[in-house]
Amino acid sequence: MLKNHAAYTMRSTQRLGKVNSMKNVILTGDRPTGKLHIGHYVGSLRRRVEMQNSGKFEKIYIMIADAQALTDNFDNPDKVRANITEVALDYLACGLDPKKSTIFIQSHVAELTELTFYYMNLVTLSRLERNPTVKTELKLRNFESSIPMGFLTYPVSQTADITAFKADTVPVGEDQLPMLEQAREIVRSFNNLYGETLIEPKAVLPENKSCLRLPGTDGMAKMSKSLGNCIYLSDSADEIKRKVMGMYTDPNHIKVTDPGDTKNNPTFIYLDAFSKPEHFERYLPEYANLDELKAHYERGGLGDMKVKKFLNAVMQETLEPIRTRREELAKDLPAIWDILYEGSKKAQAVAAETLADVKKAMKIDYFADRK
Ligand code: TRP
């Protein structure tokens, strides 16, 4: 299936008018398996809000991926259901605006499942098993000896999510790159076999390296609920303070006078991701910027406590407005469900158009003229 790459690339430059006229469409989303944390925020959420407000995008779709969440939580539907509103609250609190972005629930766009079924023809078992993100996740979930098909094929369903909206831009975290690669392969196979129909998407990653993968407060590579090393967007001021003051730093920086490491030190990685020059003016005016603070820590003479107090001030300032908005929004959950209902209806209509294009391309549009 994947042998003739040159042919795919050539074909994909001969875009049809209809495909060409759509541009700057964003689709992205999250699995509703927990509240969102600051890793989600710097990794993708903050960027989505900027993109939304830039006015440069024709359409923006933000999906709560409940069907995907069920691929490894099929035995825990209550958890997935409960987290739909949590994720929606996190989105809205960060500034996603339902007037500008369509926020919807994956399971309520049935067309996505139908597209997945047709795309499955274009993917081999070995290709799915080679997907690095899937591989890691299988290990993590002890699924290796007995892989649920739904889980193994979620990259195919993710391709349906993206292509259903003819999205060309997918702001995601680094761990999603293999999904995008797989999506592009499926799109090329489809277009090559059935004619130009689908858009090849590209991932948009954060520019700041520290935002690519924010470590946990304990210094572990990844924030995870089970490790208890996350700062959530909904955390109270006290929780944030407690977590920041308890953060792992450089274990060899024992005395204040010792030289310290800023590279593998989560407090400095967080400052990289969150601090702005005006934070220094407000809370730490004896340093002009982060470079100066880092230099002092590296040569010795700067204590962890001072760094953590500054980081706490930065985090409090960043998260306070999000938390306040979130608390306000949480008072009216029916309004949140209304937003999701309306968004899902809108998304469904768009996905239905793509599905019609797909069926036509695949020559299974027998009754298209009877509507
Ligand atoms: N896999 C993503 C996550 O783990 C969620 C997701 C599902 C997604 N479908 C998508 C992201 C399509 C981007 C595009 O959070």
Side-chain angles (χ1 to χ4, degrees):
M1 193 61 65
L2 300 169
K3 54 185 184 291
N4 197 349
H5 259 287
Y8 296 134
T9 327
M10 239 166 52
R11 282 277 195 100
S12 61
T13 56
Q14 304 163 358
R15 296 242 146 114
L16 292 180
K18 186 171 180 197
V19 171
N20 237 346
S21 66
M22 292 288 289
K23 60 175 185 334
N24 293 343
V25 177
I26 292 178
L27 177 120
T28 187
D30 300 273
R31 296 181 192 180
T33 52
K35 295 178 178 186
L36 301 183
H37 53 61
I38 58 171
H40 295 112
Y41 182 69
V42 295
S44 170
L45 261 176
R46 185 167 62 181
R47 188 69 176 278
R48 290 180 206 172
V49 176
E50 281 167 18
M51 289 170 131
Q52 169 194 272
N53 296 336
S54 74
K56 286 190 190 141
F57 292 85
E58 232 169 275
K59 291 269 159 46
I60 302 172
Y61 299 94
I62 311 286
M63 183 183 75
I64 301 183
D66 62 336
Q68 188 177 108
L70 284 165
T71 64
D72 63 333
N73 290 280
F74 45 83
D75 53 352
N76 201 353
D78 290 328
K79 170 175 152 188
V80 173
R81 188 182 176 109
N83 280 303
I84 300 248
T85 42
E86 297 295 343
V87 170
L89 286 169
D90 286 328
Y91 283 168
L92 298 169
C94 285
L96 287 175
D97 174 355
K99 289 197 199 78
K100 300 179 188 159
S101 300
T102 305
I103 306 174
F104 71 98
I105 303 179
Q106 186 184 27
S107 64
H108 278 59
V109 180
E111 284 76 4
L112 299 176
T113 326
E114 209 171 326
L115 287 172
T116 304
F117 190 68
Y118 298 129
Y119 296 169
M120 294 239 202
N121 298 332
L122 311 175
V123 188
T124 64
L125 178 60
S126 63
R127 176 64 183 87
L128 284 169
E129 285 174 334
R130 256 189 291 125
N131 182 310
T133 300
V134 173
K135 257 183 160 166
T136 318
E137 288 177 326
L138 287 173
K139 224 179 254 157
L140 220 70
R141 289 165 179 74
N142 285 325
F143 276 166
E144 287 158 298
S145 57
S146 165
I147 308 176
M149 280 309 292
F151 189 78
L152 186 71
T153 57
Y154 92 73
V156 185
S157 117
Q158 194 154 334
T159 304
D161 302 335
I162 298 166
T163 55
F165 300 94
K166 303 213 157 86
D168 54 9
T169 307
V170 186
V172 279
E174 195 184 26
D175 61 321
Q176 295 297 303
L177 287 180
M179 303 300 153
L180 268 289
E181 197 46 51
Q182 190 135 34
R184 277 194 295 273
E185 282 174 27
I186 293 173
V187 167
R188 287 196 287 262
S189 299
F190 189 100
N191 288 347
N192 185 54
L193 279 167
Y194 305 119
E196 286 296 319
T197 313
L198 304 173
I199 296 276
E200 246 184 78
K202 63 173 187 303
V204 176
L205 295 180
E207 284 141 13
N208 178 340
K209 253 184 73 197
S210 296
C211 299
L212 271 182
R213 184 158 291 204
L214 206 65
T217 52
D218 57 357
M220 298 293 277
K222 211 173 146 79
M223 282 199 192
S224 108
K225 195 172 163 185
S226 53
L227 292 173
N229 61 359
C230 316
I231 296 176
Y232 292 97
L233 296 174
S234 49
D235 275 352
S236 68
D238 285 348
E239 280 166 316
I240 296 166
K241 185 170 180 199
R242 182 178 57 76
K243 289 176 184 178
V244 170
M245 298 320 271
M247 269 175 85
Y248 176 89
T249 61
D250 172 7
N252 299 316
H253 184 247
I254 298 162
K255 290 192 285 295
V256 172
T257 47
D258 289 339
D261 168 41
T262 58
K263 302 244 162 27
N264 299 304
N265 181 334
T267 54
F268 280 97
I269 299 174
Y270 283 25
L271 285 174
D272 261 335
F274 286 96
S275 74
K276 298 184 200 151
E278 58 263 34
H279 292 137
F280 282 90
E281 271 165 50
R282 274 203 279 285
Y283 306 115
L284 208 56
E286 60 265 47
Y287 300 89
N289 53 41
L290 186 55
D291 288 339
E292 278 190 16
L293 189 73
K294 281 183 178 172
H296 192 185
Y297 193 83
E298 283 167 9
R299 70 176 180 264
L302 174 59
D304 283 326
M305 198 45 106
K306 190 158 178 179
V307 177
K308 286 181 177 178
K309 278 196 175 144
F310 175 57
L311 176 60
N312 180 54
V314 171
M315 297 311 294
Q316 297 291 354
E317 186 182 312
T318 310
L319 297 177
E320 194 272 334
I322 298 176
R323 178 177 61 247
T324 309
R325 254 196 314 269
R326 201 183 188 284
E327 281 165 4
E328 212 37 56
L329 290 159
K331 290 181 186 156
D332 190 1
L333 287 184
I336 305 293
W337 285 110
D338 283 346
I339 290 169
L340 297 175
Y341 179 70
E342 292 304 325
S344 301
K345 270 203 302 193
K346 252 168 96 183
Q348 190 272 332
V350 176
E353 282 176 28
T354 304
L355 180 63
D357 294 347
V358 160
K359 285 183 151 175
K360 183 160 188 248
M362 294 181 73
K363 306 192 192 301
I364 53 173
D365 58 333
Y366 318 113
F367 305 121
D369 59 348
R370 295 212 196 180
K371 280 194 189 140

